[in-house]
Amino acid sequence: MGRRKCCCICCTLIVVAVVAAAAVILVRRSRGVAPVPGSPGAIVEKYSEALGLALQFFDVQKSGKLVNNQISWRGDSALKDGDEEGLDLSKGMYDAGDHIKFGFPMAFTATILSWGILEYGDQMSAANHLEPAKESLKWITDYLVGDPEIDHKCWERPETMTEKRPLTQLNTSYPGSEVAAETAAALAAASLVFKTEESTYSEMLLEHAEQLFTFADTHRGSYSVSIPKVQKYYNSTGYTDELLWAAAWLYHATGDESYLSYVALENGYKFANWGHTSWFSWDNKLAGTQVLLSRVNFFASNVQKAELVGLQRYRKTAEALICELLPDSPSATLSRTQGGLIWISEWNALLHPVASAFLALVYSDYMLTSQTPEVSCSGQSLTPADIRKFVISQVDYVLGDNPMKMSYLVGYGSKYPEQVHHRGASIPKNAKTGCKGFQWLESTEANPNVAVGALVGGPFLNDTYIDVRNNSMQGEPTTYNSALIVGLLSGLVTTSSVAESFS
Ligand SMILES: *[C@@H]1O[C@H](CO)[C@@H](O)[C@H](O)[C@H]1NC(C)=O
Ligand SMILES: *[C@@H]1O[C@H](CO)[C@@H](O)[C@H](O)[C@H]1NC(C)=O
Ligand SMILES: *[C@@H]1O[C@H](CO)[C@@H](O)[C@H](O)[C@H]1NC(C)=O
Ligand SMILES: *[C@@H]1O[C@H](CO)[C@@H](O)[C@H](O)[C@H]1NC(C)=O
């Protein structure tokens, strides 16, 4: 749903709100969300290899002073980000093929990466991919900087940037509930990831998450209105979905009933659009919220009656989405390619199938764990095995089982995009281009550096792909695409997937 007009997808911006709030006392109660952990099962080599590659894209995108850098052509960059405000904002990740650190999609990346780790940490660990995932997640906890206009006038390596990198922030006069709430969601989810091993850090994340949520909810307003220049990149179509999504994550992270009431009662009736499906993306969090709250409906035993009604509506809407995704269901969407890929948007086409498949997989694992045998789609039953089969069809398409016979995950298989729209990958390591490295954008050769693990935008509706560097519509990778495919592959990396407890 992003309508990106310009060549770079970049994203959003900002940053964020430093909020002064009264000390928040954390009250942790039992969430009652406790699926029984099981053995993760045998490793599926093909998905393990793809997962290892996909995780490397986060290393390609890192800003700041690199630690244990494994990417030979990357180095330190943007070390002074945040200096103007006396902050160290040097870390974080470049959003896509350019060098902006947009807050909105970066926070979404962190939320999704956390979700994948929370659902499938045991499987990732069994395949030796958990530590790099956690390390990348932690890299994103810093705030974000960048100015879309200045950044897009250059084509250079991040390591050689000298332009000014302005910081855009939100405050009570210029609110941005989407960014503040998505950041709250990310920090709440990440607090669960780090809860056991780094408890002080985890508590700090959660405290900031609660403050940001309060800021987002109290000073309601769209960041696209406050900061109109973002509309060209990551325009938001509304913030009410982010408020529900953040509250859902905060409920998981704190066990505080007030967050459950927030999503299931009044705000649910106003904002959740129950009964109507939508596509999950960096802009629209409703489908993710439906699946995440289904977790509570599947596993929690202590929910109040009034809230239970709201939770069931979220779950019913999640089921309606499953019914649209599976090709043999009576309500199957027609929005798919002949090759079988869910296809919604020409820009970054892989976002929707990968995001949808991730949600479907998580949902089917909740079914398995709770011994729920089927979802009924207008009378036709779909089992967890049917759902997993659909999920695998989408992943296998991405990895090369498609009419082009090419992998859209860079580095996987023998044929994959060679002219990925990515500045750092397109310019030789020692070139001194200054701001004007456009000959490398126009070069017809393969990128001199491989953007390993990049998941590119993907095919047209007719299943074709044009591997030319200026084709940013199809050839530009993003960090949130990576987070989604990482979650998806993590759920498939072993033969068994039982939903894990978040705590
Ligand atoms: C509030 O944010 C706006 C937009 O980023 C900025 O122009 C303004 O200076 C900020 N106000 C304060 C008091 O920081
Ligand atoms: C951004 O989204 C808002 C809300 O949907 C819409 O009114 C506006 O026209 C959009 N701007 C652009 C540039 O697409
Ligand atoms: C596939 O679709 C794209 C975008 O609509 C179009 O430019 C291209 O010519 C089509 N290719 C074929 C082989 O039909
Ligand atoms: C990319 O460059 C080619 C060759 O210069 C040109 O024909 C094509 O229109 C450009 N495509 C885009 C999307 O800018």
Side-chain angles (χ1 to χ4, degrees):
M1 325 221 174
R3 240 174 275 149
R4 260 168 280 96
K5 298 215 181 98
C6 155
C7 48
C8 283
I9 293 194
C10 337
C11 339
T12 336
L13 99 102
I14 314 194
V15 165
V16 178
V18 179
V19 186
V24 177
I25 297 162
L26 305 182
V27 182
R28 295 256 172 72
R29 289 193 220 139
S30 152
R31 289 181 288 287
V33 180
V36 188
S39 145
I43 306 290
V44 182
E45 287 304 332
K46 147 174 143 174
Y47 299 134
S48 179
E49 185 196 343
L51 176 56
L53 287 166
L55 282 164
Q56 288 186 55
F57 189 62
F58 295 123
D59 292 330
V60 168
Q61 296 304 94
K62 279 178 184 165
S63 159
K65 185 155 185 50
L66 304 182
V67 180
N68 295 326
N69 176 30
Q70 305 290 313
I71 307 293
S72 63
W73 50 275
R74 279 302 327 275
D76 299 344
S77 62
L79 298 176
K80 295 192 172 140
D81 278 0
D83 273 9
E84 65 185 86
E85 291 285 335
L87 300 169
D88 178 1
L89 298 172
S90 60
K91 283 189 174 179
M93 289 183 194
Y94 302 116
D95 171 68
D98 48 21
H99 302 144
I100 304 178
K101 298 194 279 188
F102 281 111
F104 189 37
M106 198 196 303
F108 179 61
T109 298
T111 314
I112 296 301
L113 191 51
S114 299
W115 197 3
I117 293 171
L118 291 168
E119 297 289 355
Y120 300 121
D122 278 3
Q123 285 95 317
M124 295 169 103
S125 175
N128 280 324
H129 297 308
L130 181 58
E131 288 314 312
K134 282 191 185 169
E135 192 267 328
S136 290
L137 172 61
K138 216 169 164 188
W139 203 265
I140 311 184
T141 47
D142 278 327
Y143 290 136
L144 318 166
V145 283
D147 179 298
E149 299 307 325
I150 291 186
D151 190 73
H152 282 138
K153 286 179 196 140
C154 291
W155 190 267
E156 63 187 328
R157 301 175 67 242
E159 291 80 359
T160 58
M161 291 185 293
T162 53
E163 305 76 45
K164 213 167 160 252
R165 291 173 56 79
L167 171 71
T168 307
Q169 65 164 26
L170 302 169
N171 48 45
T172 52
S173 325
Y174 290 83
S177 298
E178 299 90 342
V179 192
E182 184 61 60
T183 307
L187 298 180
S191 79
L192 284 164
V193 171
F194 296 114
K195 189 168 162 182
T196 315
E197 284 165 29
E198 298 179 63
S199 59
T200 309
Y201 184 65
S202 164
E203 282 171 30
M204 187 264 290
L205 296 180
L206 189 51
E207 189 174 330
H208 283 281
E210 297 205 87
Q211 291 170 346
L212 281 165
F213 179 74
T214 302
F215 174 76
D217 192 39
T218 312
H219 303 282
R220 290 187 185 183
S222 169
Y223 96 122
S224 291
V225 174
S226 292
I227 322 271
K229 68 186 171 193
V230 303
Q231 290 191 20
K232 231 165 97 183
Y233 304 93
Y234 283 86
N235 193 26
S236 166
T237 52
Y239 57 78
T240 54
D241 53 322
E242 278 85 15
L243 290 176
L244 297 173
W245 170 239
W249 275 111
L250 279 160
Y251 175 65
H252 281 282
T254 63
D256 185 334
E257 291 291 328
S258 66
Y259 291 117
L260 193 60
S261 305
Y262 186 97
V263 295
L265 302 178
E266 190 183 342
N267 295 292
Y269 284 89
K270 276 194 296 198
F271 303 145
N273 205 14
W274 288 318
H276 300 272
T277 57
S278 50
W279 296 103
F280 189 43
S281 74
W282 54 263
D283 182 22
N284 189 335
K285 315 297 157 48
L286 285 179
T289 308
Q290 289 147 17
V291 172
L292 184 63
L293 290 172
S294 296
R295 175 180 253 280
V296 182
N297 193 240
F298 272 111
F299 304 118
S301 49
N302 54 352
V303 174
Q304 308 286 324
K305 203 167 169 198
E307 292 163 352
L308 196 57
V309 173
L311 284 183
Q312 279 164 347
R313 291 187 175 168
Y314 282 105
R315 180 165 157 190
K316 280 280 161 222
T317 314
E319 285 184 359
L321 178 65
I322 302 285
C323 292
E324 286 179 25
L325 292 174
L326 268 64
D328 298 331
S329 140
S331 50
T333 176
L334 298 177
S335 303
R336 57 188 101 218
T337 71
Q338 283 210 336
L341 183 75
I342 294 284
W343 197 95
I344 306 301
S345 149
E346 197 165 47
W347 276 93
N348 197 12
L350 288 174
L351 170 63
H352 296 104
V354 170
S356 306
F358 173 66
L359 294 183
L361 183 61
V362 168
Y363 196 89
S364 72
D365 288 335
Y366 294 165
M367 291 173 69
L368 275 179
T369 307
S370 63
Q371 302 188 355
T372 303
E374 60 184 42
V375 166
S376 172
C377 301
S378 315
Q380 183 179 329
S381 310
L382 297 176
T383 65
D386 294 329
I387 300 174
R388 200 173 175 92
K389 189 171 154 223
F390 159 75
V391 169
I392 286 176
S393 75
Q394 303 301 292
V395 172
D396 285 355
Y397 184 111
V398 170
L399 297 181
D401 186 3
N402 58 55
M404 293 290 282
K405 300 275 176 269
M406 79 185 289
S407 159
Y408 293 106
L409 181 71
V410 175
Y412 187 86
S414 53
K415 187 182 171 199
Y416 50 79
E418 293 186 339
Q419 294 200 24
V420 174
H421 182 90
H422 189 280
R423 288 179 208 179
S426 74
I427 303 176
K429 186 172 174 194
N430 297 316
K432 304 237 178 319
T433 64
C435 191
K436 301 287 170 207
F438 289 98
Q439 81 262 29
W440 298 106
L441 172 60
E442 286 148 21
S443 157
T444 55
E445 303 291 314
N447 284 346
N449 310 308
V450 179
V452 61
L455 180 66
V456 297
F460 287 127
L461 180 57
N462 57 20
D463 290 304
T464 68
Y465 180 85
I466 301 171
D467 190 13
V468 175
R469 195 169 296 99
N470 65 356
N471 181 11
S472 51
M473 179 192 277
Q474 293 191 288
E476 185 167 13
T478 60
T479 55
Y480 44 90
N481 277 15
S482 292
L484 286 158
I485 193 125
V486 160
L488 184 49
L489 289 165
S490 298
L492 296 172
V493 80
T494 65
T495 47
S496 140
S497 41
V498 171
E500 293 168 30
S501 165
F502 278 2
S503 53

